[in-house]
Every structure is written in structure tokens, then in C-alpha cells.
Amino acid sequence: MRIKSGYELKCKSGQYIVTLGGKESGRLDNSIILADTAVFLWNLLKEKDVTKTEMLNALIENFDISTVLALGNIDVFVRTMKENGIIE
């Protein structure tokens, strides 16, 4: 999985928000606000194509988080990004 080109993560008033640049900047119906772990996953998927196992290992290494909670965060993140056409 990876983030499609054209999508950006911006910090506004201390919150990280997913935006679509260029001509389609109004395409997202609602703002997508990301928590710390989601921002971490975003940056991971922005850099390269990553598997769910790689996401899990990276979250566990970088956050004080259980495997169950990490998997839940990954599932919510991936589902949200897929529903909005942001990952491929």
C-alpha cells in the first residue's frame, strides 16, 4: 500500500489534516484529521509501498502500544484511506 500522489498532510491549529492539492483540492467531502499513530502511518506509506506487517512492526517499535491496539489503528487508518480513495 502507498499514498496516491497529490495528497498532502498539513498541520492546521495543531491538527494534521489530509488535503488534495491542485485542481481537485475540493474533492474530499470532509476533512480527515489524523491522530499521532495515523500521521506516522501516513509518513510511512508516503515514502514507499508498505505491507500491513511492516506497518505493525513500525508502530510497535515507535510507540508504546500493544499489538492489538496497533492492529486496530492500522485497520481504521487503511479503511478510512481506502474509503476516500487515498491509498493504492
Side-chain angles (χ1 to χ4, degrees), residues 26-42:
R27 184 170 162 237
L28 293 178
D29 294 331
N30 297 309
S31 295
I32 300 173
I33 299 171
L34 303 183
D36 292 343
T37 53
V39 170
F40 179 83
L41 292 172
W42 175 277

Side-chain angles (χ1 to χ4, degrees), residues 37 41 52-53 55-61 63-76:
T37 53
L41 292 172
K52 187 173 181 178
T53 301
M55 286 187 268
L56 175 61
N57 292 334
L59 275 181
I60 291 171
E61 283 180 27
F63 290 87
D64 183 22
I65 190 170
S66 70
T67 300
V68 172
L69 187 55
L71 285 170
N73 286 346
I74 292 167
D75 289 343
V76 169

